[in-house]
Amino acid sequence: MIFRKYEFTATQWTAAKKKIQIKDEEENLIWDTSKGTSVVEMGKIWEEVKEEGECIKEAKKISVDILWANQPLTTRFSSYVVWPVPSGIHTFAGWEQQYAKDYCENNPETEFCNPPEPTEP
């Protein structure tokens, strides 16, 4: 399995999710678990919050986390991958370390992947 984080405009997400949905016996749209075992649509994340918890600035794109059964589907999804610093506001239980490893493989120069050496007291 592979855990990836994505950002889409509403139109992009509407088109992309059709690739990973199927209809159940009652014709309801459900996630195709042969493609993505878990899909979490977080919506537009608050980028800035007042001390009282009120949203000051909301993201323009929809945040979605997908735990893929195998490889992520086509470039339709790969072009929307984002790499927020681990672990962000959501992670799948047990996937924190793997996400951190994948993050550093894709962002080797970040401070998260290069913590400062401890200093002597």
Side-chain angles (χ1 to χ4, degrees), residues 46-57:
W46 292 1
E47 295 179 335
E48 280 186 61
V49 181
K50 285 185 179 179
E51 204 171 290
E52 305 82 39
E54 182 183 340
C55 179
I56 298 172
K57 182 180 178 189

Side-chain angles (χ1 to χ4, degrees), residues 89-105:
I89 65 166
H90 173 265
T91 190
F92 292 106
W95 282 87
E96 298 88 349
Q97 286 183 319
Q98 184 61 50
Y99 179 78
K101 180 181 177 217
D102 293 345
Y103 174 86
C104 288
E105 286 176 4

Side-chain angles (χ1 to χ4, degrees), residues 45-104:
I45 294 173
W46 292 1
E47 295 179 335
E48 280 186 61
V49 181
K50 285 185 179 179
E51 204 171 290
E52 305 82 39
E54 182 183 340
C55 179
I56 298 172
K57 182 180 178 189
E58 184 178 74
K60 292 182 176 153
K61 294 186 177 183
I62 298 166
S63 294
V64 179
D65 287 0
I66 301 176
L67 188 57
W68 295 98
N70 296 302
Q71 291 293 320
L73 290 179
T74 72
T75 56
R76 176 174 299 277
F77 283 87
S78 63
S79 59
Y80 302 109
V81 170
V82 293
W83 292 102
V85 175
S87 276
I89 65 166
H90 173 265
T91 190
F92 292 106
W95 282 87
E96 298 88 349
Q97 286 183 319
Q98 184 61 50
Y99 179 78
K101 180 181 177 217
D102 293 345
Y103 174 86
C104 288

